[in-house]
Amino acid sequence: MDFNFTEEQLALEDTISRFINKDYAFEARRKLAASEEAYDRNAWNTYAELGILALPFHEDLGGLNGTPLDTYLVMKALAPGLILEPYVSTVVLSGGLINALGTAEQKETLIAGIADGSATYAFGHYEPDFRYLEKMVSTSATKSANGWVLSGQKAMAIDAPSANQLLVSARTSGATGDEEGISVFLLDPATPGVTLKTYKTHDGHYAADIVLDNAEVPASALLGEEGKALPAIMDAIAQTNVALCAELVGLIKALNDATLEYLKTRKQFGVAIGTFQALQHRMADMAIAAEQANSMALLAAIEMQNGNLPHRIMKASGAKAYIGNLARKVSQEAVQMHGGMGVTDELNVAHFFKRVNLINTMFGDHDFHMQRYSDMLDVPLN
């Protein structure tokens, strides 16, 4: 695919890449991941200064009028750093939900906090008994004299332990599985009745299961209109999957670069192993996969500007399944060609491998997205 970015877009990508190479070194990140700190606050402040926290939002809300293509560039540039900061959770997923559902007053206040770096968010939606299906919500929200009372459980809310605000979905009407009746609420993690069961994911991030036991929130906690949140939730998750596809593209490139360098320097029988034809063929396949993944991620980002929601959802699922599969194969090849050291904690390739595997299970795995894409091929898109 031949696609030209603007000078401003390329300058932003270059700035982020230089920051990652200079100030987000692998060893520093590795120590941070091994500590009890969820992420680097100084790095988060730098993201705010660079403008990438404000990038996707309208300028009337303090944003920079960015498009999914801008998000693609940001995610691809951040990928080699394996950043621990909650960029996807806060800016892409939660920011997308707030932007789609919030009232004018809510958007003005909440998005300003995202843009200046003062607010971090996590979204709790999936539940333990249901796997990836967005409409399967059993968590309840009941009206009370002072607002709403929430009860239920959310599984694996990425970055929830470090978020100063939570978004959770709950059913305000209907039965589990109904498309109508799902709402989203803004929640302070310190609210009585809210418990976070915190754990670390194998790529170094923190996540939590959110338990809601008659947690009472004010009426103003409801994000936008009652019972109409499902389309916005599905759209935000689709946009998030496309952003993760861009991250996978960056990870594939990082894996290829590290592997190529290793093949040039590692010697056996007195010569660099990169001179072995069998390994050259495998490296060529990895390079082809990188180009295929990049083209598909670009196409998916372009499709996210399509005005039809089913179309966006279908394209996001197709891209996630296709690119995730390519990234899995490349990461496995990279580990194998590095030999035993390819799985050691001291090598960045092992950490790239872990991140690829986690992304491939976030917001729908390969089988889920293949099935969704197949099911939606016959859905009218106009």
Side-chain angles (χ1 to χ4, degrees):
M1 178 183 290
D2 183 17
F3 190 92
N4 294 318
F5 290 99
T6 66
E7 290 184 7
E8 291 80 5
Q9 289 173 320
L10 294 175
L12 175 62
E13 182 183 24
D14 181 63
T15 299
I16 297 170
S17 296
R18 283 190 282 110
F19 166 75
I20 292 296
N21 291 332
K22 180 182 177 183
D23 299 317
Y24 213 95
F26 169 68
E27 282 303 322
R29 186 264 181 199
R30 181 167 162 256
K31 291 178 182 178
L32 180 63
S35 72
E36 295 183 358
E37 290 292 322
Y39 64 92
D40 187 338
R41 269 69 179 177
N42 292 328
W44 188 251
N45 292 334
T46 299
Y47 302 155
E49 293 170 4
L50 292 175
I52 62 175
L53 303 185
L55 187 62
F57 308 113
H58 195 276
E59 59 183 355
D60 292 345
L61 301 172
L64 298 176
N65 289 336
T67 69
L69 283 168
D70 296 307
T71 300
Y72 156 87
L73 288 173
V74 170
M75 292 297 296
K76 189 176 73 166
L78 290 173
L82 293 166
I83 67 166
L84 296 171
E85 291 70 48
Y87 185 82
V88 173
S89 300
T90 296
V91 179
V92 183
L93 179 57
S94 298
L97 272 175
I98 293 168
N99 197 42
L101 290 175
T103 64
E105 182 179 356
Q106 287 173 329
K107 287 193 285 189
E108 183 177 356
T109 302
L110 301 180
I111 288 178
I114 294 176
D116 65 18
S118 61
T120 54
Y121 288 84
F123 178 42
H125 178 63
Y126 297 119
E127 301 187 358
D129 295 332
F130 312 111
R131 190 172 175 85
Y132 302 135
L133 289 173
E134 295 89 346
K135 66 180 181 179
M136 302 301 289
V137 175
S138 63
T139 298
S140 65
T142 307
K143 283 187 177 179
S144 67
N146 300 317
W148 298 87
V149 176
L150 308 180
S151 292
Q153 184 171 343
K154 299 296 180 179
M156 198 173 177
I158 300 293
D159 299 319
S162 62
N164 51 37
Q165 294 288 338
L166 300 176
L167 296 176
V168 296
S169 58
R171 188 164 290 284
T172 49
S173 64
T176 300
D178 288 351
E179 294 186 0
E180 294 288 328
I182 299 173
S183 303
V184 173
F185 294 86
L186 181 65
L187 195 64
D188 187 324
T191 300
V194 178
T195 302
L196 299 186
K197 296 182 177 180
T198 300
Y199 46 88
K200 215 168 193 177
T201 58
H202 67 272
D203 67 337
H205 284 260
Y206 279 92
D209 295 340
I210 304 172
V211 180
L212 306 169
D213 184 11
N214 293 317
E216 190 164 357
V217 296
S220 59
L222 175 65
L223 204 62
E225 185 179 359
E226 177 188 340
K228 304 293 185 182
L230 182 59
I233 291 171
M234 295 186 72
D235 192 26
I237 291 174
Q239 300 278 354
T240 299
N241 273 321
V242 170
L244 290 173
C245 285
E247 182 179 352
L248 286 174
V249 169
L251 290 170
I252 289 173
K253 183 179 186 303
L255 284 160
N256 284 358
D257 290 346
T259 305
L260 183 59
E261 182 62 26
Y262 181 74
L263 296 183
K264 290 178 179 179
T265 56
R266 177 72 168 93
K267 291 186 176 182
Q268 287 184 351
F269 310 110
V271 297
I273 62 175
T275 61
F276 301 158
Q277 192 175 57
L279 296 185
Q280 291 176 359
H281 289 169
R282 293 170 71 176
M283 195 72 235
D285 288 340
M286 292 165 68
I288 292 170
E291 292 299 322
Q292 292 172 325
N294 188 51
S295 294
M296 181 61 78
L298 268 172
L299 177 61
I302 293 169
E303 295 289 1
M304 289 305 101
Q305 300 174 86
N306 187 289
N308 184 275
L309 177 57
H311 184 85
R312 295 197 298 274
I313 293 170
M314 183 183 73
K315 294 298 184 179
S317 284
K320 181 76 181 299
Y322 184 75
I323 297 171
N325 193 46
L326 290 173
R328 176 183 59 82
K329 291 179 179 178
V330 168
S331 64
Q332 289 173 343
E333 286 288 308
V335 167
Q336 289 175 14
M337 282 196 274
H338 276 81
M341 64 183 293
V343 293
T344 61
D345 188 66
E346 292 78 11
L347 196 70
N348 58 3
V349 166
H351 295 261
F352 294 141
F353 179 79
K354 291 177 183 179
R355 180 61 181 167
V356 166
N357 283 330
L358 191 75
I359 289 176
N360 279 342
T361 62
M362 291 170 64
F363 308 109
D365 59 17
H366 177 271
D367 290 346
F368 172 82
H369 285 295
M370 284 296 293
Q371 186 63 54
R372 168 165 282 178
Y373 184 80
S374 176
D375 291 344
M376 295 187 73
L377 283 177
D378 296 326
V379 174
L381 298 179
N382 51 33

